[in-house]
Amino acid sequence: MVFRSNLSARLIILVVAATLPALLVLVYLQHDLRNTRKDRVPDEALQQAELINVNMRSVMEGARQLAAAMARFIPVRRLDARCAGHMSEIQGDLPSYSVLSVRDAAGRLVCSSDPALASTTLDQHCIPPGAHVSPGEVQAGLFIPATDRRGAVLPLCVAFPATEGRIGYIVMELSLEWLARHIGELRLPPRSTVGIADRAGTTLVRVPGQETLAGRRMPDPVMPLIGLSQRGTAWAVGADGLERMIGYVPAGMPGQEVFVSIGLFVPDMLADIDDAAFYGSLLMALSIALSLGLGALAGERFVRRPAAALLDAARRWSDGDLGARARLREPPGSEFGTLAAAFNAMAETLGRRRSELEDLNATLEARVQERTRDLEASRNRLQIEIAERERTEAELHQAQKLQAVGQLAGGIAHDFNNLLTAIVGALDLIRRRLPPGQAALVPLIENALEAAQRGGRLSSQLLAFSRRQRLMPVPTDLNVPVLMLTGLLGSTLGRNIRIETDLAAELWPAMVDPTQVEAVILNLAINARDAMPEGGELTIRTRNVTITAAQMTYRNAVPGDYVALEVSDTGTGMAPAVMARAFEPFFTTKPQGQGAGLGLSQVHGLAVQSGGDAGIESRLGLGTRVTVLLPRAAAATARTGDEARGHRRAELPRLKVLVVDDDRAVREMAVEMLRERGHTVMSAADGCGALDILRSPDAFQLPFDVLLVDYVMPGMNGVALIQAARALHPGLHALLVTGNAESDTADSLRPEEMMRKPFTIAQLEARMAALMDDTRAGVAADAGA
């Protein structure tokens, strides 16, 4: 019972709270509307006064038109007394006028519709003595009271031009009784009063109360308003003692002949709003009562009963009846329906969990075994992850070892190349200076020279492997290194592998570092050998390739001309997953200790660094083909060594050369090699000594043609020395000879201004000739321009 009472009271409060704002809004709107209407009463009074004034103006306009018509009669124009007949005839048709008469300029009566009723003086009507009146204008006179034979009238005078230059007046005495009836026929607000007065303030028309108030003075509060020059509104107490809002049009305004006013009783003006407010409040009260009744019924049906059912189910649940459910006749989407569904779902879940707990106790041993299997699977996964981590650490260790080897190779390359330079130079000089009778020693010298040069190429490959050497691409005929390595590959790959070559006859020159091409061929050949343990066929092919935008099968190559170097085998081939990772560094399928996974990575890196790309085609059991694309060179390839030597020997002039190298053996060998070719040579052990020579007067009188300088020297390196020397001698040619990696400062030199150690006399001669050819070509171009 307490629950029901509290819930009902809350519902009533809810209904009242819901309707109270609407009630307050209604009260506010009614109050605001009443004030707005009250504020508009003055405007409405003035509008009503204007409306009545419009009627008065129409009466004046009718009088003017009537006077104009009568002035056309000849007796009237001649001021002839025989005009009385016309006056009588017209007055009989116009009940609004009591008397119509004609007077001369002195005010004497000429003729009249009723001479007995006509007034005797003109100024009493409308024309003061001596006043000038324009013809055609209506002048209103003063109030004339009633007599025994007629009622009160308002004289209206209109001047007209008579014959012989005279002025006449038509006087129309307007019946005020008729004017009062005319005004009374207008639709006026309830309990409003209309007052019309002449210029003296005498009441002409009073509606209502015409019989008792006509001819009396206007109320005292109104008298000051009559002579004003502006229309307006004012509060005034009428003859009936009621205060009204007066709207008036004063007689003092230009063209205004009478005073026109109307008084509006404000309570009557607001009566409709007050009635609407009363009925609205009554309807609101009835609506509140109806809302309370409907709210009570709805609360009983839709709130109290469902809440009581939920409360009963909850009490039964708390008493231990786990089968208790909320039974409601509510749609599933309603609030109580949702609440009942949630309650029932909770009961179902708790019951199900109780059953699961009972089942869990019965199957505990089976669940322990299942959990044990899960733990074993987790342990296996952990072991796999540990093995993967160990493999990654091993790869990292291998990479660190390779990095250390690369650093070691880069560190010893300089000294090793210096030794090879001395050896190659000495062998080349011995071969050139060999007496005619010692021809049997030439093959031995050639073999030693070839071995030393191979040692130099090995040093370059070590530097490239350690990434400590910048590539020096030049136009290269790829057929040449293929032919040179064919014999070497035969002994390296074994007799069970047959080597075939398919070389293009008109192969384009490729823009690549020629010392690295041999490493590419060797890496690909060794990989092919490992893929053919039972033997097979290795094919090396060269061809010209043009790639268009529609044939983009390589990721790093752009459309253009390329020279392709293909190495294919008939080995075991690769699976797609292995082929996808073949170019990754350290990825290998070979057993541990038989490969580091860097061969194909170096091939791909060289191709991309040279401006091309590399690709693999392979199928399991059918073999593999690796294609290396190298960009086509713009210039023709260099000629063979013998042709170059013969050509340069005929064309290279005798030069003055300054040799700078901190290694005495290399410096002396370079001096001896240049003198062998007939050049004038001076030498210095470091950059400071070289600059002293270049600053000497002899160096300016007979300047040096070429500066041959080592890169790594104590104090000033070779690049810095070249820059300082060219500051002294701007036209000086420089050739940087290095057996180590070039630093970033070597980027300021062109590739043809650099040469690697070791080198032969022919190679040195050819490079110096190339420098001089560049100069002669530039001079010729300037001369032609």
Side-chain angles (χ1 to χ4, degrees), residues 32 112 117 120 182 294 508 521 532 569 611 624 641:
D32 183 68
S112 174
L117 299 179
T120 58
H182 175 70
L294 293 177
W508 294 333
I521 297 173
M532 298 183 291
D569 61 64
T624 301

Side-chain angles (χ1 to χ4, degrees), residues 464-488:
F465 172 75
S466 62
R467 299 186 183 274
R468 290 177 171 268
Q469 177 168 282
R470 185 179 65 180
L471 296 179
M472 298 177 62
V474 295
T476 303
D477 184 357
L478 295 184
N479 290 338
V480 173
V482 172
L483 294 174
M484 291 177 58
L485 289 176
T486 300
L488 177 63

Side-chain angles (χ1 to χ4, degrees), residues 1 4 93 174 201 229 240 308 460 512 532 603 763 765 768:
M1 187 64 183
R4 180 172 183 177
D93 296 332
L174 181 64
S229 60
D240 54 1
S460 297
V512 65
M532 298 183 291
V603 171
Q763 291 171 341
E765 184 92 349
M768 292 174 59

Side-chain angles (χ1 to χ4, degrees), residues 257-278:
E257 299 297 327
V258 293
F259 175 80
V260 178
S261 66
I262 183 171
L264 300 182
F265 188 54
V266 176
D268 286 349
M269 301 298 296
L270 303 179
D272 55 344
I273 296 178
D274 293 338
D275 293 343
F278 172 75

Side-chain angles (χ1 to χ4, degrees), residues 4 10 85 267 409 507 748:
R4 180 172 183 177
R10 292 176 182 176
L507 190 66
S748 59

Side-chain angles (χ1 to χ4, degrees), residues 107-175:
R108 293 185 295 269
L109 180 65
V110 177
C111 64
S112 174
S113 61
D114 190 351
L117 299 179
S119 302
T120 58
T121 60
L122 186 61
D123 58 342
Q124 183 181 11
H125 292 78
C126 47
I127 306 300
H132 175 73
V133 179
S134 300
E137 292 185 358
V138 179
Q139 297 290 329
L142 301 178
F143 172 80
I144 300 177
T147 64
D148 295 340
R149 297 185 59 184
R150 60 163 176 76
V153 296
L154 174 67
L156 302 176
C157 301
V158 178
F160 68 92
T163 59
E164 299 178 358
R166 295 174 296 174
I167 296 294
Y169 295 95
I170 296 176
V171 180
M172 296 161 284
E173 298 181 9
L174 181 64
S175 172

Side-chain angles (χ1 to χ4, degrees), residues 338-357:
T338 303
L339 185 59
F343 179 83
N344 295 335
M346 179 192 68
E348 292 290 340
T349 301
L350 291 177
R352 185 172 61 255
R353 289 184 178 178
R354 182 174 181 178
S355 300
E356 291 174 355
L357 182 60

